[in-house]
Amino acid sequence: MAKFSLRDILAGGIFVLAGAYFALEALNYEVGTPFRMGPGFMPLLLGTVLALLGIGVAASGWEKPDREKPLPPSWRGIVLIVGVIVFFGATIRGLGFVPVVFIAAFASAMASRLNSPLFAGLLAVGLTVLCTAIFVIGLGMTVPWFGPWLGQ
């Protein structure tokens, strides 16, 4: 039996790779100082923090073997989440912000077998209201609430 947790080491490695990538890409922008932040400051900081967290996650799994057998992949969740990303990008201009966010939130909630359609619907309504208030109203995003495909 292995003396390490393969899951923790792989997860930590993914965090380290993602954090290092963002931190290195941030160096292509002006970083600035903490008092006069440039556009690369926050990506550099967050990428570094993510890489350090990844090192911590990997280190925590070093002397901790996996006790349970790995679960098979949840194909339902994988297909729904990837499908939602493609759907959002392909239909945001045609359907508009409100319907796309509602459908995406509903499908994402249904990716888990633990959620009922009622809970997914309530979650989708709440997220749609919240996202509309933040992005369209608050930040002034220039996307129609309802798109031309719906006769708007």
Side-chain angles (χ1 to χ4, degrees), residues 67-89:
R67 298 198 191 293
E68 64 272 353
K69 191 170 83 173
L71 297 173
S74 171
W75 293 110
R76 172 184 173 168
I78 293 169
V79 167
L80 279 173
I81 297 299
V82 170
V84 160
I85 294 168
V86 171
F87 170 79
F88 191 94

PDB file of all heavy atoms in Angstrom, residues 67-89:
ATOM      1  N   ARG A  67      -7.606   5.736   1.864  1.00  0.00           N
ATOM      2  CA  ARG A  67      -8.226   4.590   2.534  1.00  0.00           C
ATOM      3  C   ARG A  67      -9.345   3.979   1.700  1.00  0.00           C
ATOM      4  O   ARG A  67      -9.595   2.795   1.741  1.00  0.00           O
ATOM      5  CB  ARG A  67      -8.763   5.004   3.893  1.00  0.00           C
ATOM      6  CG  ARG A  67      -7.679   5.488   4.827  1.00  0.00           C
ATOM      7  CD  ARG A  67      -8.156   5.458   6.261  1.00  0.00           C
ATOM      8  NE  ARG A  67      -7.286   6.140   7.191  1.00  0.00           N
ATOM      9  CZ  ARG A  67      -6.070   5.764   7.516  1.00  0.00           C
ATOM     10  NH1 ARG A  67      -5.544   4.724   6.940  1.00  0.00           N
ATOM     11  NH2 ARG A  67      -5.362   6.439   8.386  1.00  0.00           N
ATOM     12  N   GLU A  68     -10.062   4.805   0.978  1.00  0.00           N
ATOM     13  CA  GLU A  68     -11.185   4.294   0.210  1.00  0.00           C
ATOM     14  C   GLU A  68     -10.821   4.166  -1.270  1.00  0.00           C
ATOM     15  O   GLU A  68      -9.928   4.829  -1.762  1.00  0.00           O
ATOM     16  CB  GLU A  68     -12.427   5.179   0.373  1.00  0.00           C
ATOM     17  CG  GLU A  68     -12.281   6.572  -0.161  1.00  0.00           C
ATOM     18  CD  GLU A  68     -11.713   7.551   0.840  1.00  0.00           C
ATOM     19  OE1 GLU A  68     -11.532   7.216   2.011  1.00  0.00           O
ATOM     20  OE2 GLU A  68     -11.412   8.671   0.419  1.00  0.00           O
ATOM     21  N   LYS A  69     -11.556   3.306  -1.919  1.00  0.00           N
ATOM     22  CA  LYS A  69     -11.352   3.081  -3.346  1.00  0.00           C
ATOM     23  C   LYS A  69     -11.853   4.314  -4.109  1.00  0.00           C
ATOM     24  O   LYS A  69     -12.891   4.875  -3.757  1.00  0.00           O
ATOM     25  CB  LYS A  69     -12.135   1.836  -3.769  1.00  0.00           C
ATOM     26  CG  LYS A  69     -11.804   1.334  -5.148  1.00  0.00           C
ATOM     27  CD  LYS A  69     -12.437  -0.021  -5.387  1.00  0.00           C
ATOM     28  CE  LYS A  69     -13.874   0.180  -5.821  1.00  0.00           C
ATOM     29  NZ  LYS A  69     -14.530  -1.049  -6.240  1.00  0.00           N
ATOM     30  N   PRO A  70     -11.153   4.752  -5.151  1.00  0.00           N
ATOM     31  CA  PRO A  70     -11.611   5.934  -5.904  1.00  0.00           C
ATOM     32  C   PRO A  70     -12.986   5.690  -6.535  1.00  0.00           C
ATOM     33  O   PRO A  70     -13.276   4.593  -7.009  1.00  0.00           O
ATOM     34  CB  PRO A  70     -10.554   6.119  -6.987  1.00  0.00           C
ATOM     35  CG  PRO A  70      -9.427   5.226  -6.640  1.00  0.00           C
ATOM     36  CD  PRO A  70      -9.909   4.217  -5.667  1.00  0.00           C
ATOM     37  N   LEU A  71     -13.809   6.723  -6.508  1.00  0.00           N
ATOM     38  CA  LEU A  71     -15.131   6.639  -7.113  1.00  0.00           C
ATOM     39  C   LEU A  71     -15.024   6.773  -8.626  1.00  0.00           C
ATOM     40  O   LEU A  71     -14.134   7.468  -9.130  1.00  0.00           O
ATOM     41  CB  LEU A  71     -16.023   7.752  -6.563  1.00  0.00           C
ATOM     42  CG  LEU A  71     -16.312   7.727  -5.071  1.00  0.00           C
ATOM     43  CD1 LEU A  71     -17.062   8.983  -4.663  1.00  0.00           C
ATOM     44  CD2 LEU A  71     -17.125   6.496  -4.723  1.00  0.00           C
ATOM     45  N   PRO A  72     -15.930   6.151  -9.361  1.00  0.00           N
ATOM     46  CA  PRO A  72     -15.915   6.341 -10.814  1.00  0.00           C
ATOM     47  C   PRO A  72     -16.327   7.776 -11.143  1.00  0.00           C
ATOM     48  O   PRO A  72     -17.016   8.429 -10.356  1.00  0.00           O
ATOM     49  CB  PRO A  72     -16.951   5.336 -11.318  1.00  0.00           C
ATOM     50  CG  PRO A  72     -17.848   5.088 -10.158  1.00  0.00           C
ATOM     51  CD  PRO A  72     -16.990   5.248  -8.931  1.00  0.00           C
ATOM     52  N   PRO A  73     -15.904   8.287 -12.296  1.00  0.00           N
ATOM     53  CA  PRO A  73     -16.264   9.670 -12.631  1.00  0.00           C
ATOM     54  C   PRO A  73     -17.773   9.836 -12.793  1.00  0.00           C
ATOM     55  O   PRO A  73     -18.456   8.935 -13.255  1.00  0.00           O
ATOM     56  CB  PRO A  73     -15.535   9.926 -13.949  1.00  0.00           C
ATOM     57  CG  PRO A  73     -15.158   8.602 -14.474  1.00  0.00           C
ATOM     58  CD  PRO A  73     -15.121   7.650 -13.323  1.00  0.00           C
ATOM     59  N   SER A  74     -18.265  10.993 -12.397  1.00  0.00           N
ATOM     60  CA  SER A  74     -19.682  11.309 -12.543  1.00  0.00           C
ATOM     61  C   SER A  74     -19.891  11.904 -13.930  1.00  0.00           C
ATOM     62  O   SER A  74     -19.755  13.115 -14.136  1.00  0.00           O
ATOM     63  CB  SER A  74     -20.108  12.306 -11.468  1.00  0.00           C
ATOM     64  OG  SER A  74     -21.415  12.760 -11.726  1.00  0.00           O
ATOM     65  N   TRP A  75     -20.217  11.046 -14.872  1.00  0.00           N
ATOM     66  CA  TRP A  75     -20.359  11.498 -16.262  1.00  0.00           C
ATOM     67  C   TRP A  75     -21.502  12.483 -16.418  1.00  0.00           C
ATOM     68  O   TRP A  75     -21.438  13.394 -17.238  1.00  0.00           O
ATOM     69  CB  TRP A  75     -20.523  10.307 -17.200  1.00  0.00           C
ATOM     70  CG  TRP A  75     -19.278   9.485 -17.256  1.00  0.00           C
ATOM     71  CD1 TRP A  75     -19.090   8.238 -16.750  1.00  0.00           C
ATOM     72  CD2 TRP A  75     -18.022   9.883 -17.809  1.00  0.00           C
ATOM     73  NE1 TRP A  75     -17.791   7.829 -16.957  1.00  0.00           N
ATOM     74  CE2 TRP A  75     -17.119   8.823 -17.615  1.00  0.00           C
ATOM     75  CE3 TRP A  75     -17.561  11.030 -18.447  1.00  0.00           C
ATOM     76  CZ2 TRP A  75     -15.805   8.877 -18.029  1.00  0.00           C
ATOM     77  CZ3 TRP A  75     -16.246  11.071 -18.862  1.00  0.00           C
ATOM     78  CH2 TRP A  75     -15.386  10.018 -18.659  1.00  0.00           C
ATOM     79  N   ARG A  76     -22.547  12.313 -15.644  1.00  0.00           N
ATOM     80  CA  ARG A  76     -23.666  13.254 -15.696  1.00  0.00           C
ATOM     81  C   ARG A  76     -23.188  14.661 -15.367  1.00  0.00           C
ATOM     82  O   ARG A  76     -23.483  15.625 -16.073  1.00  0.00           O
ATOM     83  CB  ARG A  76     -24.733  12.808 -14.712  1.00  0.00           C
ATOM     84  CG  ARG A  76     -25.853  13.797 -14.521  1.00  0.00           C
ATOM     85  CD  ARG A  76     -26.809  13.299 -13.459  1.00  0.00           C
ATOM     86  NE  ARG A  76     -27.791  14.299 -13.133  1.00  0.00           N
ATOM     87  CZ  ARG A  76     -28.866  14.066 -12.428  1.00  0.00           C
ATOM     88  NH1 ARG A  76     -29.110  12.863 -11.980  1.00  0.00           N
ATOM     89  NH2 ARG A  76     -29.707  15.031 -12.157  1.00  0.00           N
ATOM     90  N   GLY A  77     -22.425  14.802 -14.290  1.00  0.00           N
ATOM     91  CA  GLY A  77     -21.908  16.103 -13.890  1.00  0.00           C
ATOM     92  C   GLY A  77     -20.941  16.677 -14.908  1.00  0.00           C
ATOM     93  O   GLY A  77     -21.002  17.861 -15.239  1.00  0.00           O
ATOM     94  N   ILE A  78     -20.049  15.842 -15.411  1.00  0.00           N
ATOM     95  CA  ILE A  78     -19.062  16.304 -16.393  1.00  0.00           C
ATOM     96  C   ILE A  78     -19.754  16.813 -17.651  1.00  0.00           C
ATOM     97  O   ILE A  78     -19.461  17.906 -18.149  1.00  0.00           O
ATOM     98  CB  ILE A  78     -18.063  15.177 -16.722  1.00  0.00           C
ATOM     99  CG1 ILE A  78     -17.197  14.865 -15.503  1.00  0.00           C
ATOM    100  CG2 ILE A  78     -17.201  15.537 -17.922  1.00  0.00           C
ATOM    101  CD1 ILE A  78     -16.362  13.610 -15.633  1.00  0.00           C
ATOM    102  N   VAL A  79     -20.698  16.029 -18.168  1.00  0.00           N
ATOM    103  CA  VAL A  79     -21.398  16.414 -19.399  1.00  0.00           C
ATOM    104  C   VAL A  79     -22.215  17.687 -19.183  1.00  0.00           C
ATOM    105  O   VAL A  79     -22.195  18.604 -20.024  1.00  0.00           O
ATOM    106  CB  VAL A  79     -22.284  15.254 -19.893  1.00  0.00           C
ATOM    107  CG1 VAL A  79     -23.244  15.705 -20.969  1.00  0.00           C
ATOM    108  CG2 VAL A  79     -21.416  14.105 -20.396  1.00  0.00           C
ATOM    109  N   LEU A  80     -22.928  17.767 -18.051  1.00  0.00           N
ATOM    110  CA  LEU A  80     -23.749  18.960 -17.815  1.00  0.00           C
ATOM    111  C   LEU A  80     -22.909  20.214 -17.628  1.00  0.00           C
ATOM    112  O   LEU A  80     -23.245  21.276 -18.180  1.00  0.00           O
ATOM    113  CB  LEU A  80     -24.657  18.746 -16.607  1.00  0.00           C
ATOM    114  CG  LEU A  80     -25.930  17.953 -16.881  1.00  0.00           C
ATOM    115  CD1 LEU A  80     -26.675  17.638 -15.601  1.00  0.00           C
ATOM    116  CD2 LEU A  80     -26.842  18.708 -17.826  1.00  0.00           C
ATOM    117  N   ILE A  81     -21.839  20.142 -16.881  1.00  0.00           N
ATOM    118  CA  ILE A  81     -21.025  21.339 -16.643  1.00  0.00           C
ATOM    119  C   ILE A  81     -20.336  21.795 -17.925  1.00  0.00           C
ATOM    120  O   ILE A  81     -20.350  22.986 -18.260  1.00  0.00           O
ATOM    121  CB  ILE A  81     -20.002  21.096 -15.511  1.00  0.00           C
ATOM    122  CG1 ILE A  81     -20.713  20.822 -14.188  1.00  0.00           C
ATOM    123  CG2 ILE A  81     -19.048  22.258 -15.374  1.00  0.00           C
ATOM    124  CD1 ILE A  81     -21.598  21.926 -13.683  1.00  0.00           C
ATOM    125  N   VAL A  82     -19.745  20.875 -18.669  1.00  0.00           N
ATOM    126  CA  VAL A  82     -19.114  21.253 -19.939  1.00  0.00           C
ATOM    127  C   VAL A  82     -20.169  21.772 -20.916  1.00  0.00           C
ATOM    128  O   VAL A  82     -19.963  22.778 -21.606  1.00  0.00           O
ATOM    129  CB  VAL A  82     -18.328  20.065 -20.533  1.00  0.00           C
ATOM    130  CG1 VAL A  82     -17.882  20.365 -21.950  1.00  0.00           C
ATOM    131  CG2 VAL A  82     -17.129  19.724 -19.657  1.00  0.00           C
ATOM    132  N   GLY A  83     -21.328  21.127 -20.933  1.00  0.00           N
ATOM    133  CA  GLY A  83     -22.411  21.583 -21.802  1.00  0.00           C
ATOM    134  C   GLY A  83     -22.900  22.976 -21.448  1.00  0.00           C
ATOM    135  O   GLY A  83     -23.212  23.782 -22.329  1.00  0.00           O
ATOM    136  N   VAL A  84     -22.972  23.277 -20.157  1.00  0.00           N
ATOM    137  CA  VAL A  84     -23.415  24.602 -19.712  1.00  0.00           C
ATOM    138  C   VAL A  84     -22.435  25.678 -20.175  1.00  0.00           C
ATOM    139  O   VAL A  84     -22.842  26.757 -20.616  1.00  0.00           O
ATOM    140  CB  VAL A  84     -23.581  24.629 -18.170  1.00  0.00           C
ATOM    141  CG1 VAL A  84     -23.567  26.036 -17.626  1.00  0.00           C
ATOM    142  CG2 VAL A  84     -24.861  23.932 -17.782  1.00  0.00           C
ATOM    143  N   ILE A  85     -21.139  25.392 -20.098  1.00  0.00           N
ATOM    144  CA  ILE A  85     -20.134  26.370 -20.527  1.00  0.00           C
ATOM    145  C   ILE A  85     -20.289  26.649 -22.014  1.00  0.00           C
ATOM    146  O   ILE A  85     -20.301  27.812 -22.451  1.00  0.00           O
ATOM    147  CB  ILE A  85     -18.725  25.875 -20.187  1.00  0.00           C
ATOM    148  CG1 ILE A  85     -18.539  25.818 -18.667  1.00  0.00           C
ATOM    149  CG2 ILE A  85     -17.662  26.764 -20.825  1.00  0.00           C
ATOM    150  CD1 ILE A  85     -17.296  25.080 -18.224  1.00  0.00           C
ATOM    151  N   VAL A  86     -20.432  25.600 -22.816  1.00  0.00           N
ATOM    152  CA  VAL A  86     -20.606  25.764 -24.269  1.00  0.00           C
ATOM    153  C   VAL A  86     -21.920  26.483 -24.567  1.00  0.00           C
ATOM    154  O   VAL A  86     -21.977  27.405 -25.390  1.00  0.00           O
ATOM    155  CB  VAL A  86     -20.537  24.388 -24.975  1.00  0.00           C
ATOM    156  CG1 VAL A  86     -20.920  24.506 -26.434  1.00  0.00           C
ATOM    157  CG2 VAL A  86     -19.155  23.777 -24.810  1.00  0.00           C
ATOM    158  N   PHE A  87     -22.993  26.074 -23.877  1.00  0.00           N
ATOM    159  CA  PHE A  87     -24.299  26.693 -24.068  1.00  0.00           C
ATOM    160  C   PHE A  87     -24.254  28.185 -23.758  1.00  0.00           C
ATOM    161  O   PHE A  87     -24.783  29.004 -24.523  1.00  0.00           O
ATOM    162  CB  PHE A  87     -25.336  26.001 -23.166  1.00  0.00           C
ATOM    163  CG  PHE A  87     -26.653  26.703 -23.103  1.00  0.00           C
ATOM    164  CD1 PHE A  87     -27.569  26.577 -24.128  1.00  0.00           C
ATOM    165  CD2 PHE A  87     -26.984  27.503 -22.014  1.00  0.00           C
ATOM    166  CE1 PHE A  87     -28.789  27.231 -24.078  1.00  0.00           C
ATOM    167  CE2 PHE A  87     -28.191  28.161 -21.953  1.00  0.00           C
ATOM    168  CZ  PHE A  87     -29.102  28.024 -22.985  1.00  0.00           C
ATOM    169  N   PHE A  88     -23.635  28.545 -22.636  1.00  0.00           N
ATOM    170  CA  PHE A  88     -23.567  29.950 -22.237  1.00  0.00           C
ATOM    171  C   PHE A  88     -22.867  30.779 -23.307  1.00  0.00           C
ATOM    172  O   PHE A  88     -23.365  31.813 -23.737  1.00  0.00           O
ATOM    173  CB  PHE A  88     -22.837  30.087 -20.898  1.00  0.00           C
ATOM    174  CG  PHE A  88     -22.950  31.445 -20.285  1.00  0.00           C
ATOM    175  CD1 PHE A  88     -23.939  31.710 -19.375  1.00  0.00           C
ATOM    176  CD2 PHE A  88     -22.070  32.459 -20.621  1.00  0.00           C
ATOM    177  CE1 PHE A  88     -24.061  32.967 -18.796  1.00  0.00           C
ATOM    178  CE2 PHE A  88     -22.180  33.720 -20.056  1.00  0.00           C
ATOM    179  CZ  PHE A  88     -23.185  33.973 -19.137  1.00  0.00           C
ATOM    180  N   GLY A  89     -21.710  30.305 -23.750  1.00  0.00           N
ATOM    181  CA  GLY A  89     -20.962  31.060 -24.755  1.00  0.00           C
ATOM    182  C   GLY A  89     -21.671  31.144 -26.094  1.00  0.00           C
ATOM    183  O   GLY A  89     -21.579  32.153 -26.798  1.00  0.00           O
TER     184      GLY A  89
END
